[in-house]
Amino acid sequence: MTTHSATLREEIEEMIAVGELKPGQHLDETELAARFGVSRTPVRETLIQLASMGLVVIRPRRGAIVAELGPQQLVEMFEVMSELEATCGRLAARRMTREEQQSLLAAHQACLDARDAQEPDVYYYKNELFHEAIYAGSHNQFLIEQTRNLYRRLRPYRRLQLRVRDRLHNSYHEHDGVVQAIVSGDGELAAHLLREHVMIQGQRFSDLMASLPQLRQGAA
């Protein structure tokens, strides 16, 4: 993927996640190219990438639209995500090498630094590395691929979650328990904590949904 396309993907992901680009909305390649000051080629690359993530639907001869992902679908996808990550954590607690544990601890420290700086977007990228360290520690390539695929599809929503009040602090605190469980080899506890960490339900889901109008204004 080109640099232009990688940057555009993040920009358009964010626009979809905050509702600036609404479900079912047509995505005009020429308009997007003009908006971002690029040619249509990186825009087309980006839309293809977003389609592979399930965020965009490309229809033959009719162009691309934003995928219609309702609240119920989000809940269902996070439910599956929580089980995949729980399995990664359970296996990582049994299989991680000492070097991999050190990588996990380093990622955890980087999350702490971002939390203390109150930088939710920086925290998000460090958070990605944290979760990726757990996936790698599972030593199950098929599981890693499936988990990454769903992570990419939920990426905009996981990033927005971190902007909800107190979520940075709570996320780091939850990470801390996961790290301790994995390093001590307690697979069942690691699985339980990761399941609770990822699953978005009840108050957490309500907080995220309630924040969307404010986030939409911020993206305007």
Side-chain angles (χ1 to χ4, degrees):
M1 177 180 289
T2 66
T3 301
H4 272 320
S5 187
T7 303
L8 280 173
R9 188 198 68 205
E10 291 188 0
E11 293 277 0
I12 296 175
E13 273 183 15
E14 180 84 354
M15 292 165 71
I16 292 172
V18 302
E20 187 176 348
L21 293 174
K22 296 174 174 57
Q25 182 173 336
H26 177 64
L27 298 170
D28 185 278
E29 288 183 9
T30 303
E31 288 179 7
L32 289 170
R35 176 175 184 143
F36 293 105
V38 297
S39 70
R40 290 178 61 181
T41 299
V43 171
R44 192 173 299 116
E45 290 177 1
T46 297
L47 295 180
I48 291 170
Q49 177 71 4
L50 291 171
S52 75
M53 297 162 61
L55 293 171
V56 165
V57 175
I58 297 178
R59 307 163 302 173
R61 297 181 298 281
R62 290 187 295 165
I65 62 169
V66 178
E68 301 193 52
L69 192 62
Q72 183 59 35
Q73 287 175 290
L74 268 179
V75 169
E76 290 172 355
M77 290 164 70
F78 269 102
E79 188 173 54
V80 174
M81 188 79 228
S82 70
E83 293 299 331
L84 289 173
E85 294 227 15
T87 302
C88 287
R90 181 185 296 108
L91 294 177
R94 299 208 308 258
R95 299 175 178 178
M96 259 192 175
T97 65
R98 187 176 298 276
E99 292 75 16
E100 287 170 333
Q101 287 181 355
Q102 290 304 313
S103 295
L104 178 62
L105 290 167
H108 188 42
Q109 178 62 45
C111 286
L112 175 61
D113 295 340
R115 185 206 71 178
D116 289 347
Q118 286 297 298
E119 292 282 358
D121 285 336
V122 174
Y123 183 96
Y124 174 76
Y125 291 112
K126 303 305 180 184
N127 176 68
E128 276 195 328
L129 295 176
F130 176 85
H131 285 271
E132 181 64 33
I134 296 173
Y135 306 163
S138 74
H139 292 263
N140 183 314
Q141 196 57 43
F142 180 78
L143 175 63
I144 292 168
E145 289 171 4
Q146 298 305 308
T147 307
R148 282 176 179 160
N149 287 342
L150 188 51
Y151 189 104
R152 281 198 299 269
R153 197 165 176 199
L154 288 170
R155 193 170 181 263
Y157 302 94
R158 292 185 75 152
R159 183 159 68 181
L160 287 181
Q161 270 197 90
L162 295 172
R163 298 184 187 174
V164 173
R165 183 179 177 183
D166 294 331
R167 186 60 201 149
L168 277 188
H169 176 81
N170 292 336
S171 174
Y172 177 80
H173 178 72
E174 291 162 13
H175 281 187
D176 203 50
V178 170
V179 169
Q180 291 180 41
I182 288 175
V183 171
S184 67
D186 192 336
E188 291 310 311
L189 179 58
H192 170 74
L193 293 175
L194 274 166
R195 186 180 295 110
E196 293 296 310
H197 174 64
V198 174
M199 187 58 194
I200 179 168
Q201 58 188 345
Q203 191 62 51
R204 274 180 62 189
F205 187 71
S206 298
D207 286 344
L208 178 58
M209 292 298 102
S211 297
L212 286 179
Q214 179 183 351
L215 293 168
R216 190 177 300 124
Q217 289 176 1

